[in-house]
Amino acid sequence: MAAREPAVLCRGLIKSYGSGATAVSALRGVDIAAYPGELLMLVGPSGCGKTTLISVIAGILERDQGQCSLYGRDLQSMAEAERVAFRGRNIGFVFQAFNLIPTLTVLENVSIPLLINKAGRTAAEERAALALERVGLAGREGALPGELSGGQQQRVAIARALVHEPRLVVCDEPTSALDHRTGAQVMETLRALCSGDGRTLIIVTHDSRIFGYADRIAHMDDGRIERIEEPSRQTRTTP
């Protein structure tokens, strides 16, 4: 894997919130790479910088110092319109808070990335329905988010992140609201997407039940990568 060009390459990332005496350092010189076809997990205690790191990688937050590139491009150097367009084509993001639009149906929520990329509504809704079927929500296309359980809303968010077939999928606690069986099904879907199509997955998680799906696990603490390990073949889970 190391011989290939990385999909994500970050060097010396520094990010703080606030300024002066009240500044809080979230990232303290992070070096990390993720490769095409890899499922990389970020683990560590709450507040250690995991969500900040994936937000910088996805171009949602700007870094203070350091370098970060996606497929050889630096999102922070782009004009805002170019950055939004690049993210829309190349990145799928599963937010921990789901961020579903409550007034839109499940099908409409999942269609959004395709519509942003100028797909026709009929084609977008057909692909959205297939994405919902993959996460076990066939038949709920017309429901509103408020009519679903937390676990079902999380699966809608995952379907929305996958529907436009992005090269990079970034997930913040994708199984936190799911029971073990459903979480395993979701991870099998994500794992198949990664290994089958060469996409890169970066997953923030506290859920030790899914560690076996990772190719590598980066352990974070206090804004730094402490170590990176590979799950043993005996414990790795396969689809």
Side-chain angles (χ1 to χ4, degrees), residues 118-200:
K118 304 188 185 307
R121 180 168 295 277
T122 299
E125 291 186 349
E126 288 175 353
R127 288 175 62 182
L130 289 174
L132 287 165
E133 183 178 356
R134 291 183 73 184
V135 297
L137 288 176
R140 302 309 307 272
E141 294 86 353
L144 294 172
E147 298 170 344
L148 303 180
S149 68
Q152 289 172 325
Q153 290 183 44
Q154 192 148 25
R155 283 186 275 165
V156 174
I158 291 167
R160 183 182 58 188
L162 303 181
V163 71
H164 59 302
E165 300 182 351
R167 291 195 286 174
L168 171 66
V169 180
V170 182
C171 305
D172 196 356
E173 302 286 358
T175 61
S176 62
L178 304 178
D179 59 56
H180 179 64
R181 180 179 178 182
T182 304
Q185 290 172 345
V186 165
M187 287 307 303
E188 287 171 5
T189 297
L190 292 172
R191 179 76 217 181
L193 169 85
C194 180
S195 58
D197 296 331
R199 293 185 177 86
T200 303

Side-chain angles (χ1 to χ4, degrees), residues 41-184:
M41 288 186 184
L42 301 176
V43 305
S46 297
C48 72
K50 304 185 300 296
T51 297
T52 297
L53 176 56
I54 60 172
S55 297
V56 170
I57 288 172
I60 295 171
L61 290 176
E62 293 195 348
R63 63 188 183 268
D64 297 332
Q65 296 179 46
Q67 300 175 336
C68 186
S69 64
L70 266 65
Y71 305 100
R73 303 288 306 278
D74 181 353
L75 271 67
Q76 194 159 312
S77 69
M78 298 177 183
E80 180 63 20
E82 183 183 8
R83 186 188 310 180
V84 170
F86 184 92
R87 283 205 310 256
R89 292 191 303 270
N90 294 287
I91 303 173
F93 204 116
V94 180
F95 297 91
Q96 188 172 5
F98 313 146
N99 289 2
L100 303 177
I101 299 174
T103 56
L104 298 183
T105 67
V106 164
L107 187 69
E108 290 167 337
N109 267 281
V110 177
S111 298
I112 287 172
L114 298 169
L115 297 174
I116 289 173
N117 286 321
K118 304 188 185 307
R121 180 168 295 277
T122 299
E125 291 186 349
E126 288 175 353
R127 288 175 62 182
L130 289 174
L132 287 165
E133 183 178 356
R134 291 183 73 184
V135 297
L137 288 176
R140 302 309 307 272
E141 294 86 353
L144 294 172
E147 298 170 344
L148 303 180
S149 68
Q152 289 172 325
Q153 290 183 44
Q154 192 148 25
R155 283 186 275 165
V156 174
I158 291 167
R160 183 182 58 188
L162 303 181
V163 71
H164 59 302
E165 300 182 351
R167 291 195 286 174
L168 171 66
V169 180
V170 182
C171 305
D172 196 356
E173 302 286 358
T175 61
S176 62
L178 304 178
D179 59 56
H180 179 64
R181 180 179 178 182
T182 304

Side-chain angles (χ1 to χ4, degrees), residues 5-53:
E5 289 295 319
V8 177
L9 181 61
C10 301
R11 292 287 180 260
L13 283 188
I14 294 175
K15 175 66 179 177
S16 297
Y17 298 102
S19 60
T22 61
V24 176
S25 295
L27 301 177
R28 303 169 182 259
V30 169
D31 296 334
I32 193 76
Y35 295 86
E38 178 179 33
L39 196 162
L40 173 68
M41 288 186 184
L42 301 176
V43 305
S46 297
C48 72
K50 304 185 300 296
T51 297
T52 297
L53 176 56

